[in-house]
């Protein structure tokens, strides 16, 4: 495909899904968090509607497309990242299933519809906004990682506005924001139902939090078994290896 890649972009493999994704070391590359969220979230298998917020270069929609036949809308504020995502979707011939929307997550329900979606996934910025004088990150990365244009509370509110009653929202975040995210979810009619903590390895503190809530659900929170990324041999654990590489690695 001509003109697929721009500047320093490369075409990487999503091995478990047998797909390809456009990435750039200077603009954006997805992290393990995207893989974990895409595999953690509930998705309708055959039909339905899904929205991924803060889509970046489209990794989560691509991962989800291997698990579901549902329509997926991916919302990304940054034009460059949305363009990368759109080209990846086209390369994988998934245009009929995945739609990339280059727009603000805040108020997105006004444009794509209130309370009509079965699942919302979101990998929001993790860190508080930083002063312009402190930015030593490239702009694309700074916006993706820091609450410059979107706070956690705003992300949760948008997810709730999009979901049907009984729909599910799944987020990945840092464990230190656990109370913030639970508070924001409950304030927006999302009852936390499943939490899973991710650890670099046994004996270390958790560094990632996966949480899913149901819109207007009844209180009943399940703490799932821990997920360890690396074993004592510093190699990926079997569970993470399967997530990344699939059954035939």
């Amino acid at each position: 495909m001509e003109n697929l890649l721009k500047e320093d972009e490369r075409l990487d493999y999503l091995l478990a899904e047998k797909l390809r994704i456009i990435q750039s070391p200077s603009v954006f590359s997805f992290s393990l968090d995207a893989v974990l969220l895409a595999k953690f979230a509930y998705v309708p298998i055959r039909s339905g509607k899904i929205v991924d917020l803060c889509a970046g270069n489209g990794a989560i929609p691509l991962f989800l497309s291997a698990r579901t036949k549902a329509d997926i809308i991916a919302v990304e504020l940054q034009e460059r990242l949305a363009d990368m995502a759109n080209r990846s979707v086209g390369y994988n011939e998934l245009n009929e299933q995945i739609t990339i929307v280059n727009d603000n997550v805040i108020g997105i329900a006004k444009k794509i519809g209130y309370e009509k979606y079965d699942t919302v996934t979101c990998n929001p910025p993790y860190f508080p906004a930083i002063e312009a004088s402190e930015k030593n990150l490239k702009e694309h990365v700074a916006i993706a990682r820091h609450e410059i244009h979107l706070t956690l509370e705003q992300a949760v509110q948008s997810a709730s506005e999009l979901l049907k009653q009984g729909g599910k929202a799944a987020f990945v975040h840092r464990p230190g924001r656990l109370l913030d995210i639970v508070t924001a979810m409950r304030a927006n009619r999302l009852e936390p139902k499943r939490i899973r903590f991710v650890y670099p390895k046994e004996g270390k503190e958790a560094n990632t939090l996966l949480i899913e809530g149901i819109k207007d659900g009844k209180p009943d929170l399940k703490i799932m078994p821990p997920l360890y990324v690396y074993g004592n041999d510093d190699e990926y654990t079997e569970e993470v290896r399967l997530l990344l590489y699939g059954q035939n690695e």
Side-chain angles (χ1 to χ4, degrees):
M1 185 185 296
E2 290 187 15
N3 303 319
L4 176 66
L5 300 178
K6 301 178 181 179
E7 299 175 24
D8 64 351
E9 293 174 352
R10 64 180 187 267
L11 198 58
D12 286 348
Y13 284 97
L14 305 181
L15 294 173
E17 292 74 21
K18 298 181 173 59
L19 297 172
R20 305 291 293 273
I21 186 168
I22 296 168
Q23 307 223 86
S24 163
S26 65
V27 178
F28 191 86
S29 297
F30 74 88
S31 68
L32 180 62
D33 292 357
V35 183
L36 297 175
L37 179 60
K39 302 301 174 76
F40 172 79
Y42 160 84
V43 290
I45 303 301
R46 301 201 177 279
S47 63
K49 296 179 181 296
I50 299 170
V51 179
D52 179 52
L53 302 177
C54 309
N57 65 338
I60 289 174
L62 290 174
F63 287 128
L64 292 177
S65 74
R67 295 184 56 206
T68 178
K69 301 297 184 185
D71 293 330
I72 302 169
I73 296 176
V75 182
E76 171 51 47
L77 174 65
Q78 298 191 67
E79 184 177 0
R80 175 72 192 278
L81 300 189
D83 176 56
M84 291 168 67
N86 206 37
R87 283 180 281 130
S88 291
V89 169
Y91 180 84
N92 290 290
E93 300 181 348
L94 290 167
N95 294 91
E96 291 189 7
Q97 183 181 14
I98 301 173
T99 302
I100 307 297
V101 176
N102 179 203
D103 211 326
N104 200 322
V105 166
I106 301 168
I108 191 63
K110 294 177 184 176
K111 300 178 181 179
I112 65 173
Y114 286 97
E115 299 192 336
K116 60 183 289 189
Y117 298 94
D118 302 283
T119 299
V120 174
T121 55
C122 183
N123 183 359
Y126 291 150
F127 307 108
I130 48 178
E131 296 297 326
S133 60
E134 296 176 353
K135 287 185 188 176
N136 55 5
L137 297 167
K138 292 183 170 60
E139 181 183 11
H140 297 288
V141 178
I143 291 172
R145 290 182 181 173
H146 294 264
E147 296 180 332
I148 296 169
H149 295 299
L150 181 73
T151 66
L152 174 58
E153 292 76 12
Q154 289 167 332
V156 172
Q157 180 180 347
S158 287
S160 179
E161 289 173 349
L162 292 163
L163 281 175
K164 298 175 180 176
Q165 187 175 29
K168 297 183 179 182
F171 303 89
V172 60
H173 218 289
R174 292 290 175 256
R177 301 294 300 278
L178 172 61
L179 295 184
D180 293 335
I181 196 167
V182 167
T183 300
M185 289 173 72
R186 283 190 149 175
N188 287 280
R189 299 168 55 196
L190 298 177
E191 182 61 32
K193 301 290 281 187
R194 291 195 298 142
I195 288 179
R196 191 172 196 191
F197 293 101
V198 183
Y199 301 78
K201 59 172 28 177
E202 285 194 53
K204 300 291 187 182
E205 292 185 1
N207 61 356
T208 302
L209 164 72
L210 298 162
I211 185 167
E212 183 177 73
I214 295 181
K215 187 167 183 178
D216 296 328
K218 295 179 180 179
D220 180 23
L221 178 63
K222 291 180 172 59
I223 308 296
M224 300 176 67
L227 191 157
Y228 300 108
V229 177
Y230 295 102
N232 292 329
D233 57 0
D234 293 324
E235 300 289 339
Y236 283 132
T237 58
E238 182 179 1
E239 183 173 4
V240 171
R241 217 166 38 241
L242 286 172
L243 293 178
L244 290 171
Y245 304 126
Q247 296 288 343
N248 300 318
E249 170 64 5

